[in-house]
Amino acid sequence: MIKNTDWRSSIKALTILGIIILLFLSGQSLVQGADETNNLVKQVIIVKNEKGEAIDQAVFSIINDKNEIIETCRSDEMGRAEIKNTSEGLYLLKQIKTIDGYECIERKLEINNKNPTVEILIINQLKLDKSAQESDSERVQNKAEFETDAVLLDDSLDSRIKTDENLVNADQKPAEKTTEILAAALAVDDIKVKVTQVAENKTQFIVSTIGCAGKTGISQVLFPTWTARNAQDDLHWYQGIREKNGEYSITIDSKDHGFETGTYQIHTYIHGQQGEVLKVIGSKYDLAESKPVISATDVKNNCFKVSISGLSNRYGVSDVVVPTWTQINGHDDLRWEKATYVGNDTWEAVINIADYKQSYDTFISHVYVTDKNGQQKYLGATTKISDNPFIKDPLKVAAHQQENDGSKFVISTQNCSKKPGIKRVDFAVWTKRDGQDEIKWYQGEIGANGEYQTSVDIENHGFETGPFSIHTYLRDNSGEVITISGSSFTMPKLNPTIEYDKAVLNNTFKIRIRNVGSENGVTAIMMPTWSRSNGQDDLRWEPATYIGNHTWEANINLRNYNIIVDAFISHAYLVDKNGKMVFVKDSSKTILQNTATVYGFYNYPLDKNYKPNPSDPTDWFGPRWGDIHEGVDIPAPYYASCYAVGNGIVEKAGFFMGYGRYVRIRTTDRYGESVSFFYGHLQEINVGVGQSVSKGQKIGSVGGSGYNAQRTYIDNAYGPHLHFGAIANADDACVDPEIWIDFHNPYSNAN
């Protein structure tokens, strides 16, 4: 059994213990509350340079009237320094550190916990040079005090700061403001700021001053602006533009602030002529949020646009995408199209119908917006119906003979321009003879006028003329035929032409016939040819070879005929697809020069005692070492004189290819034919390009110039000799110069 006295003693002990615990917990709460109170931000300092740029790592001391440092604070990268541990009262704010080249400041400071935290803007100015400081120290002190007083964002703070001479030492006491500074302060005191919405653009508003007009002491006005969301992550410093009325303004667009709506913070910095800040004015503007509107434009040039307006919102816009697909077969052609900002709170995505499987269908477009936080949100949708325009406007096709080539005709569409959904145009073409035995498919190419066309060459149809059938197929993105059009074109009878080479080379001339065709086609061309003398006693049927570009060519070798110097008559016959021979055209060529040869018109190019070795075939024109030796080599000593073989004009004079020093002279032979003679491996050149030379005139001297193994020009690449060649200008090809000059018997040439 427990005694009553023991029970009462236990109760008393427990009560005392409970009271002790409660007192301990209360003390802990009071201490914690005191700590939290002490950690509250009581004052914020914003420190910047004269350009409005934040100053990092600036250090400030808060000093009481006993010259004791109560607290020290440091600015961050935003120029923000916080005072937390200083109690209410008047203090001296002394800056002890800033960036190099700038001055620290001192000013009065009042801490008042009853009012909301006030931001104090401190501007650090560039240091003046030492002589200027010594000569005008009082003005600098006045200016510094005025600037720091003028930039307070809360005008009511000035009334709460009481003058206390005990806050500073005698050597720290600011000088009195001069009359000039006071006048400047009064000059900017009435300046205000207004903000207005741009009527025609809902993403823009105008910030402008009121009261700057007529004030000559203002050098510039800056408008730092940012949205209230996420501190100053979108801070922009705008340079005010001075208008004709003397006020400063700037147009601010939400696109420069991530397309954010809501509250915009605007500070207006009024700068004096020395760069000092005369006044800072704080203001706000609420940019309204619009309701988004999604629409689709008409189809133009095979494209339509999805337009989205009114996207700006309080979270901003970082990206807009428009996933789009055609209705048939679900999402099998889904494409995520990116929208582009085009101004006035509007984005556009271009939808190219050619990128989708269906040309004519309902196009479905959804709109997704990604904000500045990276969150993507579905906004809405729109549709666009693309109809086949050829149902109401049937396809039209035309054809005409090609102007610069009568063997071709051009097929073109007439009403495809600006119509959507056309992926490809094919033209099936054939002649009406023997069904579709030579049908060809041509793919149309779109021209600058938006129409599709192709060129048809009768070479692809056996050189047939007459009626052609044309079927035109328009295909959509999936390859399906949109529409078909049937048409025809009659290729007119061609007008063939015959031409010859001017030069007769090695007893052979060439005859060519162009633009041959017939309704039954062409399988071959024959050229019966004979010399005019004695009738057709030497008639030969010369076959022509097709060499392309609607041209056939036959080689007429004069050695096969009875007379070489005569008029040669040629008739052209075509052989059609039925094997029938049809006369086409006739022509003739007169041969004036017997290439057997008649010498004596041209001089010999050297002294006549120098001549090629008749027993060495490598000295002469023709095959040599797997190639063609394009001239005659005449051995002669260095500096032996070389002469012009005829009257002419110098075409080339200088180093040329492997010939070393080289001269080429254009002449005219006794029959009026043009021929150029050239001299290679010369030791020296005595004429220039464009110079007229006479038969027998010295043009250079014999040498051995040419390439060495490294393809560098040297004077002794070969033994001394003259390489003499000829070029027939009709073919621009080297030919045997012995057609004109006798190298076997130099004395048979002209003296």
Side-chain angles (χ1 to χ4, degrees):
M1 182 176 178
I2 299 174
K3 296 182 180 180
N4 289 337
T5 54
D6 293 338
W7 178 78
R8 290 190 186 96
S9 298
S10 298
I11 292 297
K12 184 177 181 180
L14 289 173
T15 301
I16 293 171
L17 179 61
I19 292 171
I20 292 171
I21 292 172
L22 287 173
L23 289 173
F24 176 77
L25 292 175
S26 298
Q28 289 292 97
S29 299
L30 290 172
V31 171
Q32 183 177 356
D35 289 342
E36 290 176 354
T37 301
N38 288 337
N39 287 330
L40 290 175
V41 177
K42 299 177 181 178
Q43 188 73 61
V44 175
I45 300 169
I46 303 296
V47 57
K48 298 178 181 288
N49 62 15
E50 83 287 354
K51 298 178 182 178
E53 300 168 337
I55 296 178
D56 189 13
Q57 300 300 311
V59 179
F60 297 88
S61 292
I62 294 85
I63 302 172
N64 64 11
D65 57 355
K66 297 179 181 179
N67 206 25
E68 297 171 338
I69 297 176
I70 304 301
E71 183 178 351
T72 300
C73 57
R74 185 185 301 269
S75 64
D76 59 17
E77 66 274 7
M78 301 298 293
R80 179 185 176 93
E82 296 179 347
I83 300 173
K84 298 181 179 180
N85 301 319
T86 302
S87 58
E88 289 186 289
L90 289 171
Y91 298 90
L92 173 67
L93 178 66
K94 183 175 182 178
Q95 186 176 3
I96 59 176
K97 181 183 178 183
T98 185
I99 53 179
D100 291 342
Y102 283 80
E103 294 180 338
C104 293
I105 63 93
E106 293 183 10
R107 60 153 296 147
K108 303 166 190 176
L109 175 68
E110 181 186 28
I111 304 295
N112 188 341
N113 294 338
K114 295 180 180 179
N115 294 320
T117 300
V118 177
E119 289 185 353
I120 297 177
L121 181 63
I122 300 297
I123 302 296
N124 284 173
Q125 299 288 346
L126 285 167
K127 287 182 179 179
L128 298 176
D129 60 77
K130 188 173 182 180
S131 60
Q133 287 179 328
E134 291 174 352
S135 63
D136 203 2
S137 60
E138 182 178 1
R139 184 180 63 80
V140 172
Q141 281 183 310
N142 289 337
K143 174 183 169 185
E145 184 182 42
F146 166 69
E147 289 174 4
T148 53
D149 284 344
V151 298
L152 291 175
L153 297 182
D154 189 340
D155 293 338
S156 64
L157 185 61
D158 283 337
S159 63
R160 297 198 303 271
I161 298 179
K162 299 177 181 179
T163 304
D164 190 344
E165 300 296 336
N166 295 325
L167 287 177
V168 293
N169 297 327
D171 58 341
Q172 297 172 328
K173 183 177 179 180
E176 294 181 358
K177 296 180 176 65
T178 64
T179 303
E180 178 184 357
I181 298 298
L182 286 172
L186 292 174
V188 299
D189 191 54
D190 62 338
I191 296 177
K192 298 179 181 179
V193 173
K194 70 173 181 178
V195 185
T196 55
Q197 177 71 46
V198 175
E200 62 274 12
N201 193 328
K202 50 197 170 187
T203 66
Q204 296 179 345
F205 56 90
I206 299 173
V207 184
S208 56
T209 62
I210 301 174
C212 286
K215 292 181 171 59
T216 59
I218 298 173
S219 64
Q220 66 172 344
V221 176
L222 300 177
F223 299 98
T225 303
W226 66 96
T227 57
R229 177 181 169 274
N230 288 342
Q232 294 182 338
D233 66 331
D234 61 335
L235 173 65
H236 281 267
W237 284 77
Y238 297 99
Q239 176 82 43
I241 300 172
R242 194 170 189 271
E243 307 292 348
K244 291 182 179 180
N245 62 2
E247 300 297 342
Y248 292 82
S249 68
I250 189 66
T251 299
I252 295 173
D253 197 318
S254 69
K255 72 179 178 62
D256 298 319
H257 297 268
F259 301 99
E260 289 189 36
T261 58
T263 301
Y264 277 72
Q265 298 283 355
I266 306 155
H267 286 181
T268 303
Y269 286 70
I270 313 294
H271 285 260
Q273 294 295 342
Q274 302 301 319
E276 73 276 18
V277 177
L278 301 178
K279 186 174 184 179
V280 177
I281 305 168
S283 51
K284 297 180 181 180
Y285 180 71
D286 288 325
L287 185 63
E289 184 173 330
S290 301
K291 183 178 180 180
V293 176
I294 304 172
S295 61
T297 65
D298 292 334
V299 178
K300 185 177 181 181
N301 295 328
N302 213 37
C303 298
F304 67 91
K305 296 178 181 179
V306 175
S307 176
I308 314 103
S309 61
L311 281 185
S312 294
N313 62 84
R314 59 179 177 155
Y315 298 111
V317 178
S318 63
D319 192 34
V320 180
V321 290
V322 183
T324 301
W325 64 94
T326 54
Q327 192 171 42
I328 296 176
N329 297 328
H331 290 71
D332 65 335
D333 56 355
L334 171 66
R335 289 174 56 89
W336 286 77
E337 309 286 4
K338 186 174 180 62
T340 303
Y341 184 68
V342 296
N344 200 12
D345 205 18
T346 302
W347 280 256
E348 284 183 351
V350 177
I351 312 300
N352 189 337
I353 291 176
D355 293 333
Y356 294 82
K357 291 186 177 181
Q358 305 299 324
S359 294
Y360 306 117
D361 194 5
T362 298
F363 285 75
I364 302 169
S365 297
H366 286 188
V367 177
Y368 286 84
V369 179
T370 303
D371 63 25
K372 292 173 68 176
N373 294 326
Q375 298 297 314
Q376 190 177 71
K377 177 183 177 182
Y378 169 74
L379 194 66
T382 187
T383 59
K384 185 64 183 178
I385 298 175
S386 175
D387 292 320
N388 186 341
F390 295 100
I391 295 175
K392 295 181 179 179
D393 184 17
L395 176 63
K396 300 178 181 65
V397 177
H400 64 273
Q401 193 170 12
Q402 191 165 310
E403 293 181 2
N404 58 351
D405 191 339
S407 297
K408 299 177 181 178
F409 62 92
V410 177
I411 309 170
S412 59
T413 62
Q414 301 296 297
N415 60 336
C416 286
S417 178
K418 299 182 180 180
K419 285 188 170 62
I422 303 171
K423 186 71 172 182
R424 198 179 75 195
V425 176
D426 294 321
F427 299 96
V429 181
W430 67 95
T431 60
K432 293 187 177 180
R433 174 188 173 276
D434 291 341
Q436 295 182 340
D437 63 328
E438 33 65 57
I439 186 171
K440 299 290 181 183
W441 287 83
Y442 300 88
Q443 184 169 330
E445 294 183 359
I446 191 167
N449 62 354
E451 299 296 343
Y452 295 81
Q453 67 176 29
T454 191
S455 178
V456 177
D457 193 329
I458 64 170
E459 177 182 349
N460 298 328
H461 299 269
F463 300 99
E464 291 187 32
T465 58
F468 279 76
S469 293
I470 304 166
H471 282 186
T472 304
Y473 295 80
L474 268 60
R475 301 182 186 276
D476 65 11
N477 295 342
S478 63
E480 296 295 326
V481 175
I482 299 169
T483 187
I484 301 174
S485 173
S487 56
S488 63
F489 174 73
T490 299
M491 187 69 174
K493 186 178 180 180
L494 302 181
N495 182 25
T497 59
I498 291 179
E499 62 184 31
Y500 298 86
D501 281 349
K502 286 186 177 181
V504 179
L505 306 177
N506 298 330
N507 291 311
T508 300
F509 69 87
K510 295 178 180 179
I511 180 172
R512 287 182 287 273
I513 184 168
R514 300 181 187 274
N515 296 328
V516 180
S518 77
E519 289 195 10
N520 292 314
V522 179
T523 61
I525 297 288
M526 298 298 294
M527 294 279 194
T529 302
W530 64 95
S531 60
R532 178 171 291 171
S533 301
N534 301 322
Q536 296 184 343
D537 63 333
D538 54 359
L539 172 66
R540 290 176 56 84
W541 285 79
E542 306 282 5
T545 302
Y546 185 68
I547 60 174
N549 196 25
H550 317 110
T551 303
W552 285 260
E553 181 179 83
N555 292 317
I556 310 301
N557 190 333
L558 299 178
R559 293 188 181 93
N560 296 325
Y561 294 83
N562 295 337
I563 299 177
I564 293 179
V565 179
D566 200 355
F568 283 78
I569 300 168
S570 297
H571 286 186
Y573 285 83
L574 67 83
V575 180
D576 66 19
K577 291 182 178 181
N578 297 325
K580 182 179 178 181
M581 189 172 289
V582 179
F583 172 77
V584 178
K585 199 175 184 68
D586 61 5
S587 183
S588 66
K589 178 176 177 64
T590 299
I591 304 300
L592 300 175
Q593 179 179 350
N594 181 346
T595 58
T597 290
V598 178
Y599 296 120
F601 182 75
Y602 286 109
N603 276 17
Y604 195 66
L606 292 164
D607 290 337
K608 294 180 180 179
N609 55 320
Y610 303 124
K611 62 181 181 179
N613 184 351
S615 61
D616 185 355
T618 63
D619 279 359
W620 301 89
F621 182 91
R624 184 177 73 169
W625 306 327
D627 204 346
I628 297 296
H629 183 225
E630 296 180 330
V632 175
D633 287 345
I634 309 170
Y638 281 110
Y639 295 103
S641 296
C642 300
Y643 306 105
V645 297
N647 300 330
I649 302 294
V650 178
E651 293 181 304
K652 285 185 180 292
F655 286 96
F656 181 67
M657 299 174 60
Y659 293 115
R661 293 184 185 87
Y662 173 95
V663 171
R664 191 170 81 199
I665 302 171
R666 179 186 290 271
T667 70
T668 302
D669 70 10
R670 72 176 73 199
Y671 304 109
E673 300 287 345
S674 178
V675 60
S676 295
F677 297 103
F678 62 89
Y679 305 71
H681 308 307
L682 300 178
Q683 193 68 18
E684 61 181 7
I685 295 173
N686 301 119
V687 293
V689 174
Q691 179 180 339
S692 296
V693 295
S694 302
K695 183 185 294 186
Q697 178 180 337
K698 182 179 178 180
I699 57 90
S701 59
V702 172
S705 61
Y707 283 143
N708 62 10
Q710 289 75 38
R711 296 186 68 79
T712 301
Y713 284 118
I714 59 174
D715 282 338
N716 58 348
Y718 308 95
H721 71 283
L722 172 65
H723 177 99
F724 187 84
I727 295 176
N729 292 288
D731 285 347
D732 197 25
C734 293
V735 295
D736 190 348
E738 203 164 25
I739 294 174
W740 296 274
I741 298 172
D742 190 352
F743 293 96
H744 288 82
N745 181 14
Y747 290 93
S748 66
N749 299 290
N751 292 329

